[in-house]
Amino acid sequence: MPSRARLTLFVLFLPASLAAQKQFTLPGDRVAIYNVAGQVAVSAGSGSAVTVTATPAGAQAAALKFEQGAIDGRETLRIVYPDGDIVYAAIGKGSQTMQRVNADGTFGDSDRDRGRRVRIVGSGAGADVHADLAVAVPAGRSVEVYLAAGSVSVTNVNGSLAFDLSAADLRVTGGKGEIVADVGAGNVDVSGTDGPLRIDTGSGNVRLTDVK
């Protein structure tokens, strides 16, 4: 019998809950980043601008909108979420936090916070959506991170950093420069840093190790 060639077809399926990554460049000396829910990893970068790689996730990941532009003298990246409750399983089943969010995606500034109330829940009804961010910061830049729910990790950044976190843990390792952290609920762990440090927390543990 004549031989028959066999063709094997490999198909790569991407999870429906994971949308394509998005890249952003934020020029200028002062940058502010706003995200309602997710993990934020901040590290030392090169070049002249802060760069952000955003990974939308969740069943409604496609509903996220990303907006850039100058606000109050800072170049901003704002992640705008759909209306209604936001489901972010990482905070734990039965957990929730509330954040007032403006229409442009900003929050955390009492003078500007006149927007809708957003409830972030660990389970239940709502839009299953969040965004994880990787932020690269060149030396000497000033970066503000606003996050309602999730976690922030910082590694070896030389610059001025400010964090406004509603319900999120913060870990900072290494680096030089000023660090200001305003945390509603969450643990703060700072080690190996050199520079002014100010921490204001509503609840959670604070641990400082080898801080100059």
Side-chain angles (χ1 to χ4, degrees):
M1 296 178 62
S3 62
R4 295 182 179 180
R6 292 185 178 181
L7 176 63
T8 303
L9 180 63
F10 294 93
V11 180
L12 177 63
F13 292 96
L14 295 177
S17 61
L18 190 64
Q21 288 185 334
K22 300 180 183 296
Q23 305 283 339
F24 302 92
T25 299
L26 306 177
D29 294 332
R30 297 182 60 203
V31 166
I33 300 168
Y34 297 84
N35 185 24
V36 169
Q39 296 180 344
V40 181
V42 186
S43 61
S46 58
S48 60
V50 174
T51 60
V52 180
T53 301
T55 304
Q60 283 78 47
L64 290 177
K65 298 179 180 179
F66 296 82
E67 298 184 359
Q68 285 185 257
I71 296 178
D72 297 335
R74 306 160 303 165
E75 183 65 24
T76 68
L77 173 63
R78 292 157 282 126
I79 303 173
V80 181
Y81 282 67
D83 292 340
D85 292 348
I86 302 300
V87 179
Y88 181 47
I91 66 174
K93 186 177 181 180
S95 298
Q96 68 174 20
T97 188
M98 193 81 70
Q99 179 68 58
R100 186 176 290 278
V101 181
N102 299 312
D104 63 0
T106 62
F107 57 89
D109 185 340
S110 59
D111 293 334
R112 291 176 47 83
D113 287 353
R114 299 180 178 88
R116 63 187 175 94
R117 289 187 178 275
V118 176
R119 189 170 69 119
I120 302 102
V121 298
S123 58
D128 175 16
V129 59
H130 66 275
D132 295 329
L133 308 179
V135 184
V137 181
R141 297 299 184 270
S142 174
V143 176
E144 302 169 19
V145 175
Y146 296 80
L147 180 67
S151 64
V152 179
S153 63
V154 185
T155 307
N156 296 328
V157 174
N158 297 330
S160 177
L161 302 176
F163 304 95
D164 190 307
L165 314 177
S166 297
D169 293 335
L170 171 64
R171 175 184 288 272
V172 182
T173 305
K176 295 182 179 181
E178 182 179 22
I179 298 172
V180 177
D182 186 351
V183 182
N187 298 318
V188 179
D189 188 329
V190 181
S191 63
T193 63
D194 185 352
L197 175 63
R198 186 174 70 201
I199 299 173
D200 182 354
T201 179
S203 73
N205 298 317
V206 176
R207 184 174 69 172
L208 308 178
T209 307
D210 191 24
V211 171
K212 298 180 181 179

